[in-house]
């Protein structure tokens, strides 16, 4: 009984002591509780927003569209780069009476020539693609080929064949080729291939349909090889003043 009484007294003393200390810190504890309640409120709000976002994401369906990729393979060889670019200038044919109404598109190329004495000599070529009205009043196309070596010296006159006939083999980008006969003009100023009806000349059509062409001209033991850049030729040749 005595022990129980002492315990009650001790608890009473501690209670009064604790109450005295609590009175000093009530304001601090109250402020701390308010801050904790505010933080708890923010946490609850963030949790609510997170739940809403998860609900929206679960309702959305992500569609992945596969776009086909087309790979463009360039088949042009370095010959296109190596071949000198052409502006395909318009020039008028000159005669002993002065410039005529006959005009042609001019482009240039470089290559090599070989004879029995010279190997891989430097060659310069002038291509003259023409359209004019023939004596029978038909419109025809033709190609003139001027071959130069040793600077600007024209060499058409050096063709050895008495008949002045030579073969022109044209190789296209796909590897196919065709051969057409060429014949020196009476003046010897340039070699000309046969006249063909409008839009029917094989060389002109090949120049329209290819970015680059290889030419191999042969007559006897003499050969001439060159590559010509045909980019822009089609637009130039088909433009005015060819509508005659």
């Amino acid at each position: 009984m005595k022990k129980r009484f002492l315990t009650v007294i001790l608890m009473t003393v501690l209670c009064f002591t604790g109450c005295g200390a609590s009175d000093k810190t009530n304001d601090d504890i109250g402020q701390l509780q308010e801050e904790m309640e505010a933080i708890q409120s923010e946490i609850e709000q963030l949790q609510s927003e997170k739940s809403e976002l998860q609900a929206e994401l679960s309702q959305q369906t992500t569609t992945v569209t596969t776009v086909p990729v087309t790979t463009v393979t360039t088949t042009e060889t370095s010959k296109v780069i190596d071949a000198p670019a052409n502006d395909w200038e318009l020039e008028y044919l000159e005669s002993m009476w002065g410039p005529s109404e006959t005009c042609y598109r001019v482009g240039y190329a470089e290559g090599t020539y070989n004879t029995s004495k010279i190997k891989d000599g430097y060659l310069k070529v002038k291509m003259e693609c023409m359209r004019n009205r023939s004596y029978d009043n038909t419109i025809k196309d033709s190609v003139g080929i001027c071959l130069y070596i040793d600077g600007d010296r024209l060499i058409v006159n050096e063709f050895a064949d008495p008949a002045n006939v030579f073969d022109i083999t044209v190789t296209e980008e796909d590897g196919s080729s065709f051969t057409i006969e060429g014949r020196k003009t009476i003046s010897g100023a340039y070699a000309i291939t046969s006249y063909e009806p409008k839009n029917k000349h094989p060389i002109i059509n090949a120049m329209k349909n290819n970015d680059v062409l290889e030419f191999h001209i042969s007559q006897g033991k003499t050969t001439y090889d060159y590559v010509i850049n045909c980019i822009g030729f089609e637009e130039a040749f088909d433009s005015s003043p060819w509508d005659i």
Side-chain angles (χ1 to χ4, degrees), residues 42-78:
E42 292 181 359
I43 293 174
E44 291 175 354
Q45 183 177 355
L46 291 174
Q47 288 177 339
S48 176
E49 293 177 355
K50 178 181 177 181
S51 299
E52 292 177 358
L53 289 174
Q54 288 177 338
E56 291 179 2
L57 290 174
S58 63
Q59 294 176 356
Q60 294 178 354
T61 301
T62 302
T63 303
V64 178
T65 303
T66 302
V67 180
V69 178
T70 302
T71 302
V72 179
T73 303
T74 302
T75 58
E76 294 182 2
T77 65
S78 60

Side-chain angles (χ1 to χ4, degrees), residues 5 11 16 73 75 112 154 162 177 218 223 232:
F5 179 74
M11 291 177 65
F16 280 107
T73 303
T75 58
T112 61
L154 190 64
S177 62
S218 62
T223 59

Side-chain angles (χ1 to χ4, degrees), residues 182-211:
R183 186 178 297 274
K184 188 177 70 174
T185 61
I186 297 176
S187 65
Y190 52 85
I192 192 167
T193 64
S194 58
Y195 288 92
E196 302 290 343
K198 180 180 177 180
N199 296 323
K200 298 294 184 180
H201 200 289
I203 291 181
I204 290 179
N205 287 338
M207 293 174 71
K208 288 182 178 181
N209 296 325
N210 293 270
D211 290 336

Side-chain angles (χ1 to χ4, degrees), residues 227-241:
V227 176
I228 189 164
N229 190 329
C230 302
I231 295 176
F233 173 77
E234 181 177 12
E235 293 79 5
F237 190 80
D238 286 341
S239 64
S240 177

